[in-house]
Amino acid sequence: MKYVYPAVFTLVEGEGYGIEFPDLKGCAEEGEDLYGALLLARDALTDWLMFSEDTGKPIPPPTPLKEIAVEENQFVNLIRADTDAWRLLKAQKATT
């Protein structure tokens, strides 16, 4: 399945970025720089969604960007996840 969810990135001076997905309880990550944070956000989102698919837990719809309030040190970015491709990648890594 393919998904797109908004993530809130919080810049923490000297530490990097904290990432939270407002729609997905417990789905969070942190990265040292923006590039790393974006990659980690994708991984966290995909793992969260894949776990929910596997266990039959409900997956809530994404909140529209305009409805997400952010503070001065935050911004919202859409993150894409493809659980089918992620499963395939993990299976390939397991066989090598």
Side-chain angles (χ1 to χ4, degrees):
M1 293 283 304
K2 293 183 170 108
Y3 303 88
V4 176
Y5 274 86
V8 176
F9 289 73
T10 304
L11 175 60
V12 180
E13 286 297 325
E15 295 184 34
Y17 291 88
I19 309 130
E20 295 181 27
F21 290 86
D23 301 305
L24 309 175
K25 186 177 180 179
C27 188
E29 189 58 85
E30 53 187 52
E32 291 181 14
D33 56 29
L34 184 54
Y35 179 75
L38 287 165
L39 293 176
L40 290 168
R42 181 204 57 204
D43 293 353
L45 173 62
T46 307
D47 284 340
W48 194 99
L49 292 166
M50 196 166 67
F51 177 79
S52 294
E53 289 175 356
D54 291 348
T55 59
K57 294 189 179 194
I59 298 173
T63 298
L65 289 178
K66 64 183 179 184
E67 294 180 17
I68 299 174
V70 294
E71 297 176 13
E72 195 171 303
N73 64 332
Q74 297 178 319
F75 67 92
V76 179
N77 196 60
L78 292 174
I79 304 297
R80 184 178 82 89
D82 183 339
T83 55
D84 294 332
W86 199 245
R87 286 177 209 285
L88 182 60
L89 180 65
K90 285 189 171 202
Q92 289 173 343
K93 284 184 177 181
T95 61
T96 57

